Each structure stands twice: as C-alpha cells, then as structure tokens.
C-alpha cells in the first residue's frame, strides 16, 4: 500500500515562496507509469491541479500556475517537492499530494487518484 504524507509550514508570508514536501512510502517514485501530483483546494472552492512529476522526472504544470510553480524530487529520500513563489492570500488552501497512472489535470474528486495524502493547510498571511 502506497502512502503519501505532506509536510511543510502552515503559514507563509505574502511574496514568499511556499515549499511543501511529499514523502512516499510503500512504493518508489521512480516506478513506471506513476505521476506524482500536487493539488490544492482553496476555502469554499473546488480542487485545482497544480502539476506533476513523472516516474522519469518529466514535469507537467498547470498553465495558470506555471510561472510560479516548480516540482522536483529527491529519489534518495523518495520525496517530491512543490515550490510556489510570490504567494498571495489567494494561495491559501489545503494542499494535497497524490499519484495515479496518468495525469489528471481537472480532478473533481480526490478519489480519482489511486493514492493521496491527507492534505496540509497552508495559510498566506502577514
């Protein structure tokens, strides 16, 4: 059973860079066909796909966030990381890491992903 766990600061100041890590256990992030994904859900809104990193290290980003988003990985730690720069209060959300056999870039439910973390609240405020 693959398990994912998000970690990172719960409070970030405006204009700073948000950095979150997803630690994966029970499976390798280099396993063929999996796409390791970041999704967020702002308060009162639906899910927003942010981007993904594939088993081979290829990255995919939401066009609306691409200029501020970077997803990387550390295969030695079996982790992948999200960095979102120049944050504003509109970036306040619950952030999830998840994985599936393909890129799901318009999720309506977290259940669409094979495995997912429990989510972590990030608030952008001074």
């Amino acid at each position: 059973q693959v398990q994912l766990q998000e970690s990172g600061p719960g409070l970030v100041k405006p204009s700073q860079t948000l950095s979150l890590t997803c630690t994966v256990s029970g499976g390798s992030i280099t396993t063929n066909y999996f796409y390791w994904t970041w999704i967020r859900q702002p308060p009162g809104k639906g899910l927003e796909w942010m981007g993904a990193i594939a088993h081979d290290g290829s990255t995919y980003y939401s066009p609306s966030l691409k200029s501020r988003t970077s997803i990387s990985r550390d295969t030695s730690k079996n982790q992948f990381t999200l960095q979102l720069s120049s944050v504003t209060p509109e970036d306040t959300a619950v952030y999830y890491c998840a994985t599936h056999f393909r890129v799901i870039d318009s999720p309506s439910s977290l259940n669409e992903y094979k495995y997912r973390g429990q989510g972590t609240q990030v608030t952008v405020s001074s």
Side-chain angles (χ1 to χ4, degrees), residues 2-4 22 24 28-39 49 51-56 58 60 80 96-107 109-117:
V2 176
Q3 294 183 319
L4 295 86
C22 184
V24 179
S28 171
I29 62 173
T30 60
T31 299
N32 281 350
Y33 310 124
F34 276 94
Y35 294 84
W36 304 92
T37 304
W38 287 99
I39 309 133
W49 178 78
I53 186 165
H55 58 91
D56 63 357
S58 302
Y60 307 82
F80 63 106
Y96 299 92
C97 59
T99 191
H100 199 67
F101 303 121
R102 60 181 177 87
V103 174
I104 302 174
D105 61 5
S106 299
S109 169
L110 291 171
N111 291 332
E112 296 182 45
Y113 294 91
K114 178 75 172 175
Y115 303 106
R116 60 193 180 272

